[in-house]
mmCIF file of all heavy atoms in Angstrom:
data_model
loop_
_atom_site.group_PDB
_atom_site.id
_atom_site.type_symbol
_atom_site.label_atom_id
_atom_site.label_comp_id
_atom_site.label_asym_id
_atom_site.label_seq_id
_atom_site.Cartn_x
_atom_site.Cartn_y
_atom_site.Cartn_z
ATOM 1 N N ILE L 111 3.866 1.506 -1.236
ATOM 2 C CA ILE L 111 4.446 1.708 -2.592
ATOM 3 C C ILE L 111 3.447 2.335 -3.515
ATOM 4 O O ILE L 111 3.699 3.285 -4.367
ATOM 5 C CB ILE L 111 4.844 0.303 -3.221
ATOM 6 C CG1 ILE L 111 6.015 -0.267 -2.310
ATOM 7 C CG2 ILE L 111 5.186 0.470 -4.570
ATOM 8 C CD1 ILE L 111 6.426 -1.530 -2.724
ATOM 9 N N SER L 121 2.451 14.865 -8.299
ATOM 10 C CA SER L 121 3.218 16.024 -8.073
ATOM 11 C C SER L 121 4.657 15.846 -8.208
ATOM 12 O O SER L 121 5.401 16.839 -7.997
ATOM 13 C CB SER L 121 2.945 16.450 -6.637
ATOM 14 O OG SER L 121 3.263 15.527 -5.721
ATOM 15 N N LEU L 167 -7.488 -8.976 -47.234
ATOM 16 C CA LEU L 167 -8.706 -9.455 -46.670
ATOM 17 C C LEU L 167 -9.719 -8.338 -46.527
ATOM 18 O O LEU L 167 -10.869 -8.576 -46.589
ATOM 19 C CB LEU L 167 -8.424 -10.172 -45.382
ATOM 20 C CG LEU L 167 -9.701 -10.959 -44.774
ATOM 21 C CD1 LEU L 167 -9.979 -12.145 -45.745
ATOM 22 C CD2 LEU L 167 -9.275 -11.454 -43.370
ATOM 23 N N GLY L 202 -19.641 -12.498 -13.160
ATOM 24 C CA GLY L 202 -19.043 -11.369 -13.814
ATOM 25 C C GLY L 202 -17.760 -10.805 -13.319
ATOM 26 O O GLY L 202 -17.247 -9.773 -13.762
ATOM 27 N N GLN L 207 -11.258 -16.070 -8.313
ATOM 28 C CA GLN L 207 -10.230 -17.234 -8.224
ATOM 29 C C GLN L 207 -10.926 -18.488 -7.974
ATOM 30 O O GLN L 207 -11.204 -18.952 -6.847
ATOM 31 C CB GLN L 207 -9.175 -16.918 -7.118
ATOM 32 C CG GLN L 207 -8.310 -15.715 -7.316
ATOM 33 C CD GLN L 207 -7.458 -15.726 -8.590
ATOM 34 O OE1 GLN L 207 -6.906 -16.771 -8.900
ATOM 35 N NE2 GLN L 207 -7.288 -14.622 -9.260
ATOM 36 N N LEU L 246 -18.234 9.030 -41.269
ATOM 37 C CA LEU L 246 -17.460 9.021 -40.127
ATOM 38 C C LEU L 246 -16.409 7.921 -40.114
ATOM 39 O O LEU L 246 -15.285 8.097 -39.667
ATOM 40 C CB LEU L 246 -18.353 8.842 -38.885
ATOM 41 C CG LEU L 246 -17.655 8.677 -37.475
ATOM 42 C CD1 LEU L 246 -16.744 9.946 -37.122
ATOM 43 C CD2 LEU L 246 -18.662 8.507 -36.321
ATOM 44 N N GLY L 268 -2.056 13.144 -22.482
ATOM 45 C CA GLY L 268 -2.393 12.681 -21.155
ATOM 46 C C GLY L 268 -1.444 13.012 -20.088
ATOM 47 O O GLY L 268 -1.681 13.396 -18.925
#
Side-chain angles (χ1 to χ4, degrees):
I111 295 177
S121 58
L167 194 61
Q207 299 294 324
L246 177 59

